[in-house]
Each structure stands twice: as C-alpha cells, then as structure tokens.
Amino acid sequence: MSLFSRHKLSEYESSDYQQQLNEFKYKITKFEDRLDKLENDWECASQGESFRPANGIDAKEAANRVEKAAQKALPNELKKAFDEINSAVKNEQKSVRLYQYECGPSINVIGKPQRKRIYHIDTLSKELKKYGYETKFDPNDSDGPYSFLEVSWEGKGTSNVSKIDSSKKYILPLEGTDREITDSVTGKTITHEVAYACPHGGKWDIVYDRKICSDAVVVSGREIINVPKWVESIEPIEAD
C-alpha cells in the first residue's frame, strides 16, 4: 500500500497539492517553449541565416519612431513653451528653462526616478529658432533626468503684430507642423493638415485643419492685436 493511499488528503491539502502541480506544469511548458526557440535560433545560425525576435527593430527604425513621436507632439509642446515664455516675459525675465522631463517621486525597478516627458527639446529648439529665439542646451546633461533647453529673447523682435490690418482676415499656421493623414486600409495619403493658432472662448489654442485651410481657422485682424506672445511670433498670412 502506497503512502498516498494510507494518508487521505484533507480538502485543503488536496487543493494546495493541485495548485502546486499546476504551477509546476506551467513552468515545464514555459521551459519547453524557451528550449524550442533556442533550438530554432541555433538552427538558423548554423545555416548562416539571420534571425530577429518578433518585436525586434533596427536602429534606423527606432530613430524614425522617436522622430515621429517628437513631430506629433510638437504643436502642443510649442504652445506650452510659448505659455512659459509669456509668463516669464510678464515677470520681466529675459530667458526661461524648459525641462525635458518631469521627475516623479517614485523609483522604478532598477532604482531610478520615474520620468515623464514634457518636451522633446531637440525638435523644440529647431522650431523656436524659426521664431527668432536663441536656444541653448544644458551643457552638463543632454539627456538626463534634469536636462533642459534654455530659451532667451534679449534684443529679439519676435512680434508680427505691426503687419496686421484690423480690417482684413488672416490665418496663423505654425511652421513645421505639416502632417499627412492616411487611409488606415489602403495606407494612401488622404489629405494634409497643418496646425493653426485660433481663438476659442477667449483663449488662444492650436487646432489642426486642412492644408488648404477652411473658415474654421480664419481670424480677423482685430482679434490679433492683443494676443499672447507665442501668437505674436507667428507669421500671419492674409486669407483670400
């Protein structure tokens, strides 16, 4: 008679035993899967074939994804940057630091502070220069948790208000914000869009519209006379 037959398992012991057995079977399955993958990789390598994990990307693709993310975020980041500049100007400052990350109090699994991106400072620097600002990167830490972009405007004339005729209408497109809209099925380009500055409910905001703009982004000249500094710096285009 076996030990098992002599000792009748209680309901609790039986459940615990079954759970342990299931966990052991799961570990065996995962191990077999890893073994199969290693054997497959070894076979490919022995035959001179290159292999890459299903989620693997090369350096060029990784760089392209980062650039696309930066361009997609640019309109909102540019507006946020102009808000910070406008606030600094009101305080009679001649420069402002735009920090790349917002560091949270929590620590991740490898012992580093959690970081939330605020700005893509490389892309933002190029864009702000188009509006006449001087930009300078943090000389000590180009991509660390406390890296920043210093933006200055001493002696820089960035306002375009003097060009405005209050009796005419204008559009205010933001440079470098062109993007293609593609069909999700065919992958073909449907239209192009551009970010425009527009007033909404007493505040200025950024909206996307067709490259050949609609009436939704046309602004009367009298609305552009007293505007935030970031709007002043946009080159106005007279609407037909």
Side-chain angles (χ1 to χ4, degrees):
M1 181 181 293
S2 68
L3 177 63
F4 180 84
S5 62
R6 290 199 304 268
H7 176 67
K8 185 178 180 180
L9 294 175
S10 67
E11 183 178 347
Y12 174 79
E13 289 174 322
S14 177
S15 175
D16 185 57
Y17 173 80
Q18 186 62 48
Q19 182 178 352
Q20 291 181 24
L21 182 61
N22 290 340
E23 289 176 353
F24 181 74
K25 288 180 178 179
Y26 175 77
K27 290 179 180 179
I28 290 294
T29 301
K30 296 293 290 183
F31 177 79
E32 289 175 344
D33 289 343
R34 289 184 62 191
L35 185 60
D36 288 342
K37 183 180 182 304
L38 287 171
E39 288 177 346
N40 182 65
D41 290 349
W42 174 257
E43 183 178 353
C44 290
S46 65
Q47 295 176 3
E49 298 176 13
S50 61
F51 62 91
R52 187 172 67 177
N55 63 340
I57 59 173
D58 59 25
K60 183 178 180 181
E61 185 179 352
N64 286 338
R65 290 187 186 184
V66 171
E67 179 61 25
K68 285 181 179 179
Q71 290 299 328
K72 184 178 181 181
L74 180 60
N76 288 331
E77 289 184 7
L78 190 61
K79 179 182 181 299
K80 190 185 300 180
F82 281 134
D83 286 342
E84 291 201 45
I85 291 170
N86 193 44
S87 178
V89 169
K90 288 180 181 178
N91 291 328
E92 299 182 3
Q93 297 172 223
K94 295 181 180 179
S95 66
V96 68
R97 287 183 176 182
L98 305 178
Y99 286 88
Q100 184 158 226
Y101 300 104
E102 178 182 55
C103 293
S106 59
I107 304 296
N108 64 16
V109 292
I110 58 175
K112 291 185 178 181
Q114 297 282 22
R115 297 187 297 180
K116 178 182 178 182
R117 184 179 288 279
I118 305 174
Y119 296 108
H120 294 79
I121 57 177
D122 288 336
T123 304
L124 186 63
S125 173
K126 295 174 185 176
E127 196 65 22
L128 286 172
K129 285 180 178 179
K130 296 178 182 178
Y131 294 93
Y133 291 96
E134 292 290 332
T135 62
K136 183 171 64 175
F137 294 102
D138 178 1
N140 300 315
D141 196 357
S142 61
D143 194 40
Y146 307 107
S147 57
F148 61 82
L149 177 70
E150 185 167 353
V151 184
S152 59
W153 49 88
E154 184 177 7
K156 299 292 177 181
T158 58
S159 175
N160 287 293
V161 171
S162 60
K163 304 176 183 179
I164 299 297
D165 184 334
S166 60
S167 64
K168 294 182 179 181
K169 293 183 177 181
Y170 300 87
I171 56 173
L172 300 169
L174 279 73
E175 292 185 52
T177 60
D178 298 41
R179 68 180 186 185
E180 293 182 348
I181 304 300
T182 58
D183 188 294
S184 60
V185 178
T186 64
K188 294 182 178 179
T189 300
I190 301 173
T191 186
H192 290 77
E193 288 187 339
V194 177
Y196 296 87
C198 293
H200 288 290
K203 295 183 178 180
W204 282 82
D205 204 351
I206 292 174
V207 298
Y208 268 97
D209 199 68
R210 297 192 306 274
K211 197 167 185 178
I212 302 176
C213 65
S214 67
D215 292 339
V217 296
V218 175
V219 182
S220 64
R222 61 179 177 274
E223 292 180 281
I224 311 176
I225 302 302
N226 295 307
V227 294
K229 193 172 185 66
W230 71 269
V231 180
E232 288 182 7
S233 63
I234 300 172
E235 180 73 26
I237 299 175
E238 189 174 337
D240 295 332

